[in-house]
Amino acid sequence: MARTAYGAAGPGSARTPRSTEYAILAKVTAQLKEADPADPLGFPALAQAITQNRELWSRFAVDVAHPENGLPRELRAGIFYLYEVVQQQSSKVLAREANTDLLIDINTAMMRGLAGQGGAT
């Protein structure tokens, strides 16, 4: 997914597409954790973290929807479903109707999958 979503890695880079996706997810997830939805002064940081997370999941959705994507069909459908959940939950967080916990959990599960850990906790 990372090749189409983020472009090729730079010259001499040892990063794989999976490790690139993992790194980006980890960065966005850290921003979500740092943003405090209860702090009115922290709303710009929260909005920025939500926007970056939405953009990332939009890229995942576009990538898994592509006919030449090599992931199994069920996994592609699952990732697309998570994209939809992320979009809905993000709207709730920005409307101050929810916190970022679900978004963090989804990102963390995706990172586990990218790291080859899979499974439920």
Side-chain angles (χ1 to χ4, degrees):
M1 280 192 299
R3 184 181 55 76
T4 58
Y6 315 109
S13 173
R15 279 219 161 149
T16 65
R18 286 176 78 127
S19 68
T20 299
E21 290 171 342
Y22 184 97
I24 294 168
L25 267 167
K27 181 180 177 183
V28 170
T29 303
Q31 292 171 338
L32 288 171
K33 287 179 180 179
E34 291 172 11
D36 182 2
D39 178 9
L41 297 177
F43 189 79
L46 174 65
Q48 181 178 10
I50 293 291
T51 299
Q52 289 177 348
N53 196 54
R54 278 181 152 169
E55 289 172 1
L56 176 60
W57 278 95
S58 292
R59 290 179 181 206
F60 286 155
V62 166
D63 196 48
V64 298
H66 195 278
E68 294 180 17
N69 184 291
L71 293 175
R73 186 179 189 113
E74 286 185 15
L75 180 56
R76 291 169 55 195
I79 291 170
F80 195 87
Y81 172 75
L82 289 175
Y83 152 77
E84 292 174 330
V85 172
V86 165
Q87 297 305 314
Q88 292 171 2
Q89 186 69 11
S90 295
S91 293
K92 290 179 182 178
V93 172
L94 291 174
R96 300 188 188 270
E97 298 170 359
N99 60 35
T100 57
D101 291 350
L102 180 58
L103 299 173
I104 292 166
D105 289 347
I106 290 170
N107 286 5
T108 302
M110 185 72 146
M111 290 187 315
R112 279 194 308 267
L114 288 167
Q117 296 172 2
T121 56

